[in-house]
Amino acid sequence: MGLTVYFEFIIIKKKWRKDMHKEELISGFILAVVLGILLAYSPDSLSGGIVIIMAIIVAISFFFGIVKMMRYNYAFIIAMKSIDRIKNTNSDDVWLSIEQQEDFFWNNELDKKFKEYRVKVSKLRDSKYEIVPDIDTVVDEDYIYIKTWKNVITNVPNMLTGLGILGTFLGLLLGITGINLTSQEVIITSIGTLLNGIRLAFYTSISGVIVSMLFNIIYSYFWNVTMRNMEAFYEKYHRYIIPSQEEILKNNKENFYREVRERLEKIENKIQ
């Protein structure tokens, strides 16, 4: 029975991986299409070069930010399903089953940290006076923040907007430096140069704003999904595996007061 459930879990895991890859591919495809359109309609080589630089920044940020973040999001979903699978097959001692499970998150980094966590918990679990470390010692928002370079990735929209503004100044600079008032024919030619510079200025600014907004929306969506699944994992872990430290402290406090009351009652009964 347990082996059957395990293989069913593997099949479901592969299905989730495909679904999550679809989300990544769709968001990446949208970014690629938008950047491709902006590049195709670039008025000149300079604006096209700026769009290419934007595309490179977006591609690097997408891989090291969004794709890696979704690996952790996927790990939280797998961990929740691991708890459900173990709870349904062995409801007597879920923690004992987790101790025997090699892949809990199906993520090398998190599984390595979780093994270290299991060793600590196993030593303190039977102790009456020690508090078992919480699951957020394995992974928390700060851990995901660092591992997915969030401090850098969140500045990407500003970088894209900055590139657009840089193109704006370059376009205006090229337009202004091309102005020549020596003759009527030259003035007409200078006006064309100025208009081309203004077109470059507006195009790069619009491109920067569009790509910046789109990237920010996609990144915020995946970050919120990851944080939501992390909190859902915490809740399920505390409910079925080990309570949170606050709950443990509360229970220890209640047990302490209960023991004190029982002793006082015994003393009063002896006195009477």
Side-chain angles (χ1 to χ4, degrees):
M1 178 65 180
L3 188 61
T4 303
V5 174
Y6 179 77
F7 282 116
E8 290 177 356
F9 180 71
I10 296 296
I11 294 172
I12 294 173
K13 181 177 75 72
K14 291 181 178 179
K15 180 179 180 299
W16 284 329
R17 176 171 288 178
K18 289 181 179 179
D19 292 340
M20 295 183 66
H21 282 327
K22 286 180 182 178
E23 292 184 0
E24 295 171 12
L25 289 173
I26 290 172
S27 58
F29 177 76
I30 292 173
L31 285 169
V33 167
V34 171
L35 286 164
I37 293 173
L38 292 174
L39 182 61
Y41 285 93
S42 299
D44 50 46
S45 58
L46 181 57
S47 59
I50 292 176
V51 173
I52 290 175
I53 295 174
M54 291 181 183
I56 293 173
I57 293 174
V58 168
I60 295 173
S61 303
F62 188 86
F63 179 77
F64 288 101
I66 294 176
V67 172
K68 191 165 185 180
M69 184 198 310
M70 290 305 289
R71 300 285 80 78
Y72 291 110
N73 178 54
Y74 168 73
F76 294 134
I77 295 175
I78 290 297
M80 286 189 284
K81 293 302 176 181
S82 295
I83 294 174
D84 291 336
R85 178 176 61 84
I86 294 171
K87 181 171 62 69
N88 293 331
T89 56
N90 184 13
S91 58
D92 296 332
D93 193 342
V94 180
W95 175 254
L96 181 61
S97 299
I98 289 179
E99 281 185 314
Q100 299 171 352
Q101 183 173 335
E102 290 296 326
D103 300 315
F104 183 66
F105 289 98
W106 290 83
N107 179 290
N108 292 333
E109 294 179 4
L110 296 186
D111 282 329
K112 183 178 180 181
K113 290 176 67 64
F114 190 69
K115 287 177 182 178
E116 297 173 357
Y117 169 80
R118 285 186 304 186
V119 173
K120 295 179 182 178
V121 173
S122 298
K123 291 180 178 179
L124 300 176
R125 188 163 175 253
D126 298 329
S127 176
K128 185 178 180 181
Y129 302 101
E130 296 288 344
I131 298 177
V132 176
D134 207 343
I135 188 62
D136 60 11
T137 59
V138 176
V139 58
D140 57 4
E141 183 175 348
D142 291 336
Y143 180 83
I144 304 297
Y145 191 103
I146 295 172
K147 286 294 184 178
T148 58
W149 295 83
K150 190 174 189 296
N151 193 36
V152 177
I153 303 300
T154 50
N155 288 317
V156 168
N158 295 331
M159 294 170 61
L160 297 172
T161 305
L163 278 172
I165 295 173
L166 177 62
T168 300
F169 286 118
L170 287 175
L172 293 175
L173 180 63
L174 291 175
I176 292 173
T177 54
I179 295 177
N180 194 331
L181 304 177
T182 55
S183 65
Q184 186 175 359
E185 291 79 7
V186 175
I187 290 174
I188 293 173
T189 304
S190 299
I191 291 174
T193 303
L194 177 62
L195 291 176
N196 287 333
I198 293 174
R199 183 171 59 178
L200 167 64
F202 280 113
Y203 191 83
T204 53
S205 293
I206 292 172
S207 299
V209 171
I210 291 174
V211 179
S212 172
M213 290 177 60
L214 183 59
F215 182 86
N216 192 41
I217 290 171
I218 291 174
Y219 183 80
S220 297
Y221 166 76
F222 283 115
W223 177 261
N224 290 331
V225 168
T226 302
M227 292 299 102
R228 183 184 62 193
N229 284 326
M230 184 180 71
E231 292 298 328
F233 163 69
Y234 284 164
E235 182 181 356
K236 181 163 288 190
Y237 185 89
H238 290 151
R239 182 185 303 174
Y240 297 112
I241 311 299
I242 296 177
S244 64
Q245 288 188 355
E246 293 181 0
E247 294 174 347
I248 294 174
L249 288 172
K250 182 180 178 181
N251 292 333
N252 288 344
K253 189 175 181 180
E254 291 177 353
N255 291 333
F256 173 76
Y257 286 132
R258 188 181 301 112
E259 290 180 2
V260 171
R261 284 196 300 270
E262 290 176 354
R263 291 182 181 180
L264 289 175
E265 289 175 358
K266 289 180 179 179
I267 293 173
E268 290 178 359
N269 293 331
K270 287 182 179 180
I271 294 175
Q272 292 176 355

